[in-house]
Amino acid sequence: MITLQNISKSFRVAKRQTGLGNAARALFSREYKKVQALDNVSFTINEGEMVGYIGPNGAGKSTTIKVMCGILTPDSGECKINGRTPWKERKSHVRDIGVVFGQRSQLWWDVPVIDSFELIRDIYKVNSNEYQKTLDTLTELLDLGEIIKTPTRSLSLGQRMRCEIVASLLHNPKILFLDEPTIGLDAVSKIAVRQFIKNLNAEMKTTVILTTHDMQDIEALTERILLIGKGRILLDGSLTELQKRFSCEKTLIVDYNGQMPKLSDNMTPVELKEGRLTVTFDPTKLSVSDAIAYISNQVEVADISVVSISAEQMVAALYEEHKI
């Protein structure tokens, strides 16, 4: 169980104008500004949930994750994770969590990955038999093979990210924090990692908090979404509800043979050219079946598709709605 209640966190950031003269003056007299990273953030995540934590750059996502990991101490508010306060009970807390930061590594740069894994095992005091069993399972599922014998500095970004995921799970944590976990992965690796996380949640009941800009990750893994902007929680709801809310417009794409068909009054043209037309329509005014029938009665249809709003468009609309 994860509970945050009125968590606030601010940072004091130095600022100065450009130029050598201003740089010299800043050595003796510096100006500072206050940045409010989190502003009374409150939410609850139940055991076994998979939650997508989304928002634009600088919204406060990583700061929230760092508070929940015990890395940062908030200015005010309460955070309880499995009955503990992360920054007060760090040693006992970190035994129950795994963390993957897409931009930061927990692997030692100049040694083979397996040596980093061994050191992590010793840090968490994982039983040797249990460690080997977990390692064998993870390396097989994420197709690491000989990769773990290679120094971290010699790995591609995608290979390193897969190793980072293994490193975060060697001690079988109850909660997994994923900050941009699929950054740099190719399409095949992304699918494999997503399926792995799904299986982990289903079989081990691991609670997963996913922070990412890749909305395909959100669609594939989570049902609940938390939207943060300017340090405040702006939305807490299900992905299905959001899709219903933004499904007021559909796009019909038709490849056809013959002359260009006439459009219904309820259709708005997007692209009209010989052999293909793309139109949008409101399904509450014109049903999908009626729209298809209207076009197919006029021409010979070679191919047809109906597209709803994409996850990226939906999130962009949310950002615009909340002016973030």
Side-chain angles (χ1 to χ4, degrees):
M1 171 77 79
I2 299 172
T3 303
L4 274 72
Q5 189 68 39
N6 298 323
I7 292 288
S8 294
K9 179 66 179 177
S10 61
F11 297 96
R12 190 167 172 251
V13 180
K15 65 174 184 176
R16 69 169 175 84
Q17 300 297 323
T18 58
L20 186 59
N22 289 316
R25 277 192 291 273
L27 293 174
F28 304 98
S29 177
R30 228 171 239 200
E31 290 184 45
Y32 292 89
K33 67 176 180 179
K34 182 181 177 182
V35 176
Q36 192 69 40
L38 299 177
D39 185 7
N40 289 315
V41 169
S42 300
F43 58 78
T44 298
I45 297 174
N46 294 318
E47 184 179 353
E49 270 196 285
M50 286 207 291
V51 178
Y53 195 40
I54 63 173
N57 291 327
K61 302 184 300 296
S62 293
T63 302
T64 310
I65 297 296
K66 289 174 182 176
V67 167
M68 290 193 288
C69 292
I71 297 172
L72 290 176
T73 300
D75 300 334
S76 61
E78 281 190 16
C79 175
K80 290 289 184 182
I81 299 180
N82 292 332
R84 304 187 188 102
T85 301
W87 56 91
K88 291 180 180 178
E89 303 166 86
R90 287 191 64 181
K91 285 188 177 180
S92 55
H93 175 62
V94 296
R95 292 182 185 278
D96 286 340
I97 67 171
V99 187
V100 177
F101 285 112
Q103 305 295 341
R104 298 192 180 189
S105 180
Q106 58 188 316
L107 305 174
W108 278 258
W109 198 242
D110 292 313
V111 301
V113 173
I114 187 63
D115 288 351
S116 294
F117 289 169
E118 294 283 350
L119 184 54
I120 291 170
R121 180 200 68 181
D122 291 338
I123 290 171
Y124 285 99
K125 296 181 173 58
V126 181
N127 175 275
S128 294
N129 292 332
E130 185 180 326
Y131 161 79
Q132 194 60 52
K133 181 180 178 181
T134 303
L135 179 62
D136 291 343
T137 301
L138 293 175
T139 51
E140 181 180 353
L141 287 172
L142 292 174
D143 191 25
L144 294 180
E146 296 297 311
I147 292 175
I148 61 174
K149 300 176 184 177
T150 306
T152 302
R153 58 180 165 77
S154 301
L155 300 179
S156 70
L157 178 58
Q159 290 171 330
R160 181 173 68 79
M161 287 309 302
R162 281 184 284 157
C163 292
E164 295 281 357
I165 292 172
V166 172
S168 69
L169 293 170
L170 288 173
H171 58 296
N172 292 315
K174 297 176 183 177
I175 301 169
L176 184 59
F177 296 104
L178 300 174
D179 192 358
E180 300 285 356
T182 61
I183 189 171
L185 298 185
D186 57 52
V188 175
S189 296
K190 278 190 177 185
I191 292 171
V193 167
R194 288 169 188 159
Q195 189 58 51
F196 169 73
I197 294 170
K198 273 186 178 179
N199 293 341
L200 182 72
N201 174 258
E203 295 174 13
M204 305 298 293
K205 304 302 179 185
T206 304
T207 305
V208 179
I209 295 90
L210 171 65
T211 298
T212 181
H213 292 292
D214 188 336
M215 292 311 300
Q216 290 182 337
D217 286 347
I218 296 293
E219 284 187 296
L221 295 172
T222 68
E223 175 54 30
R224 181 182 170 194
I225 288 178
L226 289 167
L227 173 66
I228 186 172
K230 298 178 181 177
R232 292 176 288 112
I233 297 295
L234 303 173
L235 182 82
D236 182 355
S238 75
L239 187 60
T240 302
E241 289 171 355
L242 285 177
Q243 287 170 334
K244 288 179 180 178
R245 175 179 165 190
F246 286 98
S247 64
C248 58
E249 186 179 88
K250 292 191 180 294
T251 301
L252 178 67
I253 305 169
V254 182
D255 291 329
Y256 63 91
N257 300 316
Q259 295 183 341
M260 186 177 294
K262 294 180 180 179
L263 302 183
S264 163
D265 292 338
N266 291 317
M267 294 178 178
T268 302
V270 175
E271 180 185 33
L272 299 175
K273 62 181 182 181
E274 187 175 347
R276 167 171 277 211
L277 68 83
T278 303
V279 298
T280 59
F281 62 95
D282 185 341
T284 62
K285 297 178 180 178
L286 179 67
S287 69
V288 173
S289 58
D290 287 343
I292 294 172
Y294 189 88
I295 299 298
S296 58
N297 286 337
Q298 299 180 60
V299 295
E300 179 186 343
V301 175
D303 191 21
I304 193 166
S305 61
V306 180
V307 181
S308 298
I309 186 172
S310 68
E312 285 82 2
Q313 290 172 316
M314 183 173 65
V315 170
L318 282 172
Y319 289 177
E320 185 177 350
E321 179 182 319
H322 291 283
K323 297 179 181 178
I324 59 174

